[in-house]
Amino acid sequence: TAKKNGKGTFVVADDQMIEKFDRYRQLEKDFIYHLENKEIFPYFQPKVELETEKIVGVEALARWIHPEEGFIPPGVFIPIAEKNEVIADLDFLIAESAIKSLKTWIEEGIVGDDFNLSFNISVKTLEGLDVYDHIENMLKKYGVPGNRVQIEITESIFINNIQKVLYEMNLLKERLGISIALDDFTAGHASLKGLGVLEIDTLKFDRSLLQIVKENVDKGQRIYSTLIDLSDDMGYISVAEGIEDAAESEFLKKEGVKYAQGYHFGRPMPENDLVAVLINERSELKLKKNTCSESE
Ligand code: C2E
Ligand code: MG
Ligand code: MG
Ligand code: MG
């Protein structure tokens, strides 16, 4: 437990460091165990149409509730999954579980024909596995059409095998009708390069852009607005991420952004809660319709 420091001398790791390291090792072991046991599952965050605030779809986000440590954020376990080369297992587990849920919602009439499900697939997964085959099998198994599904990929500077990524993406699009979103736009390291090579349908604007607006309203709004123009020019569908209040929502609506996600509209939530929200929304819509027809 000796560690070389910058000056070329050795320092002995103190108890706290060792404890932290041991705890992290244990967390890694626990993660792999829980993943194998399929004890990691999706939460669902609503995606709304800004104009109507109607829910048009959901994004599935991986959740790990550790029996002792409680909620461990993806920011902690995604790197563990990548480091231990089980990120594809995680991606497919969440994808299959979410597709299965979508199937149920369709069957039970909880969602309409245009309701769309998104999930995240790591670039590492696209590089290493036959994602098209896996997803095709899942869709077949549950009888869900590919055009109800969107795959979100976060561009990374670590793409080694861009040809494989493009190959899988094209199969998913052309053969299954799955749409592709570029996630975390401008939060990555080379997002403009990504736009140059990837065939995407949707651009998801990262929350960090709204933080720029918060820090410097005039400059921030001009930057955001210009990026929306870029997205429009390229023929992409724009989705704004991380809307936390009405002012942010108003700004994006004014800029012509069609779709949004954020705590302002709904947090990521367990399936049961989402279903309750969806049922409630549908009954409210019905109520409105009935009220209208009564006054006719
Ligand atoms: P992401 O795909 O960009 O997902 C959006 C993140 O923003 C989620 O964080 C969500 O909880 C958070 N968020 C939503 N609305 C707001 C808001 O109004 N304010 C703020 N501050 N945050 C908001 P989460 O769930 O912690 O996930 C973090 C990232 O982990 C995701 O970012 C995604 O890149 C990754 N991830 C999650 N699940 C999976 C998975 O199954 N596979 C892979 N490969 N990555 C995943
Ligand atoms: Mg995402
Ligand atoms: Mg995102
Ligand atoms: Mg993001």
Side-chain angles (χ1 to χ4, degrees):
T1 50
K3 183 176 176 268
K4 213 175 184 219
N5 76 9
K7 291 188 181 114
T9 55
F10 285 90
V11 291
V12 176
D14 59 30
D15 288 352
Q16 239 187 334
M17 278 171 70
I18 293 168
E19 208 185 287
K20 257 194 186 162
F21 182 77
D22 284 347
R23 195 178 152 241
Y24 191 75
R25 281 293 309 149
Q26 189 57 48
L27 209 61
E28 284 188 290
K29 274 190 207 151
D30 291 350
F31 176 77
I32 291 163
Y33 178 82
H34 285 126
L35 181 59
E36 273 172 6
N37 281 286
K38 302 192 194 305
E39 285 165 339
I40 293 160
F41 52 90
Y43 268 27
F44 299 94
Q45 184 178 36
K47 177 165 90 182
V48 303
E49 185 181 51
L50 270 171
E51 192 58 44
T52 57
E53 299 199 358
K54 201 177 155 270
I55 300 173
V56 294
V58 284
E59 175 176 5
L61 292 155
R63 288 294 179 265
W64 179 25
I65 318 283
H66 191 284
E68 284 120 41
E69 311 263 352
F71 177 82
I72 313 273
V76 171
F77 66 76
I78 301 280
I80 291 179
E82 289 187 337
K83 179 175 161 242
N84 290 276
E85 297 183 353
V86 291
I87 184 71
D89 297 329
L90 175 69
D91 287 349
F92 292 147
L93 177 63
I94 299 304
E96 175 157 2
S97 174
I99 288 170
K100 188 178 171 192
S101 293
L102 176 61
K103 157 81 173 168
T104 312
W105 306 335
I106 294 172
E107 262 179 7
E108 294 180 356
I110 293 166
V111 298
D113 290 338
D114 44 3
F115 186 93
N116 184 271
L117 165 73
S118 298
F119 49 81
N120 299 277
I121 297 284
S122 163
V123 161
K124 288 205 167 88
T125 305
L126 284 160
E127 282 181 328
L129 279 112
D130 298 326
V131 173
Y132 163 74
D133 292 335
H134 280 84
I135 302 291
E136 187 193 30
N137 285 338
M138 287 177 205
L139 293 174
K140 267 196 190 142
K141 183 169 167 188
Y142 298 103
V144 169
N147 63 11
R148 304 294 296 268
V149 170
Q150 177 166 77
I151 289 179
E152 302 189 4
I153 69 163
T154 301
E155 211 217 339
S156 106
I157 42 169
F158 307 110
I159 302 189
N160 297 311
N161 192 348
I162 186 75
Q163 288 314 318
K164 173 67 164 45
V165 172
L166 292 175
Y167 175 77
E168 293 293 337
M169 274 177 53
N170 279 336
L171 287 178
L172 290 161
K173 276 172 69 96
E174 302 306 324
R175 294 209 192 151
L176 299 176
I178 287 177
S179 65
I180 311 277
L182 184 65
D183 208 349
D184 299 338
F185 182 58
T186 73
H189 295 278
S191 298
L192 291 173
K193 192 178 149 207
L195 290 190
V197 280
L198 303 173
E199 286 296 325
I200 61 163
D201 308 279
T202 295
L203 206 49
K204 294 194 79 176
F205 292 89
D206 196 68
R207 154 115 198 115
S208 57
L209 284 165
L210 287 172
Q211 268 147 358
I212 300 177
V213 175
K214 202 158 257 168
E215 278 152 28
N216 187 331
V217 177
D218 182 49
K219 249 191 186 175
Q221 290 198 343
R222 275 155 63 197
I223 293 170
Y224 208 143
S225 169
T226 303
L227 290 173
I228 294 163
D229 289 345
L230 168 76
S231 177
D232 291 345
D233 262 22
M234 301 289 284
Y236 301 144
I237 292 166
S238 300
V239 180
E241 288 192 292
I243 285 72
E244 292 186 355
D245 57 45
E248 289 174 347
S249 172
E250 279 311 310
F251 162 64
L252 294 163
K253 215 186 332 185
K254 197 187 79 209
E255 292 297 326
V257 173
K258 192 132 193 249
Y259 303 106
Q261 281 173 243
Y263 298 164
H264 179 59
F265 304 112
R267 290 186 176 254
M269 59 188 105
E271 174 169 13
N272 284 343
D273 292 359
L274 176 79
V275 165
V277 167
L278 290 172
I279 289 175
N280 189 42
E281 194 188 73
R282 276 182 95 80
S283 62
E284 268 173 25
L285 283 174
K286 237 185 236 158
L287 215 71
K288 266 189 210 152
K289 251 190 217 156
N290 287 342
T291 329
C292 285
S293 55
E294 268 170 23
S295 61
E296 268 168 12

